Amino acid sequence: MRAMILAAGRGERMRPLTDDCPKPLLRAGGKPLIVWHLEALAAAGFREVVVNHAHLGAMIEQALGDGARWGLRIAWSPESPALETAGGIARALPLLGKDPFLVINGDVFCDFPLRRARTIAAQMHAAGLLAWCVLVPNPPQHPEGDFALADGLLDAGRKGLTFSGIGVYDPALFRGLDPDAPARLAPLLREAAGRRRVGAELHEGRWIDVGTPQRLAALDAQLRPR
């Protein structure tokens, strides 16, 4: 099973930190944010990882190389301009293969057990699902949430939980998208959820949307050894 880390965002809310440093390379606990993901993926048994990038993307490639130091093989999917979430995934599909794949937002910190992605893929196949979203309790900065959970399926007609930025997707979800055009993920999920083809689960462990300098500093303080 392959994985993709979304790393193409400009990081507007992180400015001025991201004026000269791409957001995935901002450090918390002594490591770039994206390295926490790479280490977690390697520990979960993943070996092939796709990373997209746009803003200052060459710096990301230079910092991470081919991924060998983590026991991974990184394939790069550059974008110019950035294609948003669904567009970035559509561009990277040739690198992701024909089977369901795991996707992680590069700007979240989460202890969701990534090994479970393989079980999720099997569940998706058995139930004919196109996607599976990991939901979390709403953080203070997003009190309304994005979706709801109903009998193991994503309920796009109600809110109450927040999409974590972690999901497993079948390539068919992105069929028909122009790989050179920006496209958002939420409309695809809503349409498929309306056909009862998106599974979901609640993760109540650690999850942080590292979207502002203040939240980055708070995470850094949590991760640094005392």
Side-chain angles (χ1 to χ4, degrees), residues 24-81:
L25 296 185
L26 295 176
R27 301 176 76 85
K31 303 176 191 177
L33 291 172
I34 196 169
V35 169
W36 290 97
H37 287 318
L38 294 174
E39 290 179 345
L41 287 167
F46 286 85
R47 293 296 174 260
E48 296 184 69
V49 179
V50 177
V51 179
N52 69 338
H53 63 68
H55 175 62
L56 301 177
M59 292 179 63
I60 305 175
E61 289 200 29
Q62 183 177 17
L64 304 183
D66 61 4
R69 77 192 80 168
W70 299 283
L72 301 169
R73 291 187 296 274
I74 297 178
W76 297 100
S77 183
E79 302 171 17
S80 181

Side-chain angles (χ1 to χ4, degrees), residues 4-8 23-24 33-34 37 52 85 89 102-110 163-167 169 185 207-210:
M4 181 174 184
I5 301 174
L6 300 173
K23 184 162 58 171
L33 291 172
I34 196 169
H37 287 318
N52 69 338
T85 301
I89 295 172
L102 171 68
V103 175
I104 307 172
N105 280 7
D107 58 357
V108 300
F109 186 89
C110 187
F163 176 44
S164 68
I166 301 172
Y169 306 113
L185 180 60
W207 179 85
I208 300 171
D209 171 14
V210 194

Side-chain angles (χ1 to χ4, degrees), residues 157-210:
R158 296 184 299 127
K159 295 184 178 182
L161 295 170
T162 291
F163 176 44
S164 68
I166 301 172
V168 178
Y169 306 113
D170 189 288
L173 180 69
F174 306 92
R175 186 175 294 140
L177 288 186
D178 182 346
D180 296 316
R184 296 173 59 239
L185 180 60
L188 294 182
L189 292 176
R190 293 183 187 283
E191 191 278 331
R195 295 185 285 123
R196 299 179 62 81
R197 299 196 67 186
V198 181
E201 64 186 84
L202 176 62
H203 175 66
E204 296 188 275
R206 193 178 198 180
W207 179 85
I208 300 171
D209 171 14
V210 194

